[in-house]
């Protein structure tokens, strides 16, 4: 899964723009990094209400860190905005990348 990216489904009740990112939850030697790592990020734009599947491509640094570890827990941060500029409440999901 992680080699090809992480697929995320975005759903909006009206036209919107969404911003997505995968961020590490742990730091230090155990995680293989001294600072929090952004594993992937991306954006989605829906011209009308509905669903869209977005593939978040992993960065070179994150692929290297994943190669050292069997799995790691990351947080998927998602936020959205409609055409009028109203912000949606940010959503956080915890995932395990293998």
């Amino acid at each position: 899964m992680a080699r090809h990216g992480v697929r995320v489904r975005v759903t909006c009740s009206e036209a919107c723009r969404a911003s997505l990112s995968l961020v590490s939850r742990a730091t230090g030697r155990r995680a293989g990094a001294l600072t929090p790592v952004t594993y992937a990020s991306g954006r989605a734009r829906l011209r009308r209400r509905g669903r869209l599947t977005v593939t978040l491509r992993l960065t070179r640094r994150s692929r290297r860190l994943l190669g050292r570890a069997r799995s790691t827990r990351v947080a998927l941060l998602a936020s959205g905005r409609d055409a009028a500029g109203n912000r949606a409440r940010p959503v956080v999901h915890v995932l395990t990348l293998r």
Side-chain angles (χ1 to χ4, degrees), residues 3-48:
R3 284 186 182 180
H4 303 291
V6 177
R7 294 178 68 177
V8 179
R9 188 181 340 173
V10 177
T11 304
C12 291
S13 60
E14 60 181 299
C16 70
R17 291 180 185 210
S19 186
L20 308 160
S21 61
L22 285 175
V23 181
S24 68
R25 293 175 45 90
T27 58
R29 287 186 181 174
R30 183 172 184 180
L34 298 178
T35 59
V37 176
T38 299
Y39 282 90
S41 62
R43 293 182 179 175
R45 181 176 178 191
L46 282 83
R47 296 185 184 274
R48 58 181 181 269

Side-chain angles (χ1 to χ4, degrees), residues 1-2 9 12 16 25 27 34-35 39-41 48 51-54 58 63 66 69-70 80-82 85 89 94:
M1 169 177 91
R9 188 181 340 173
C12 291
C16 70
R25 293 175 45 90
T27 58
L34 298 178
T35 59
Y39 282 90
S41 62
R48 58 181 181 269
R51 292 183 203 163
L52 179 67
T53 300
V54 180
L58 299 175
R63 283 193 305 263
L66 277 175
R70 289 185 179 179
R81 192 178 282 238
D82 68 2
R89 191 175 2 203
V94 178

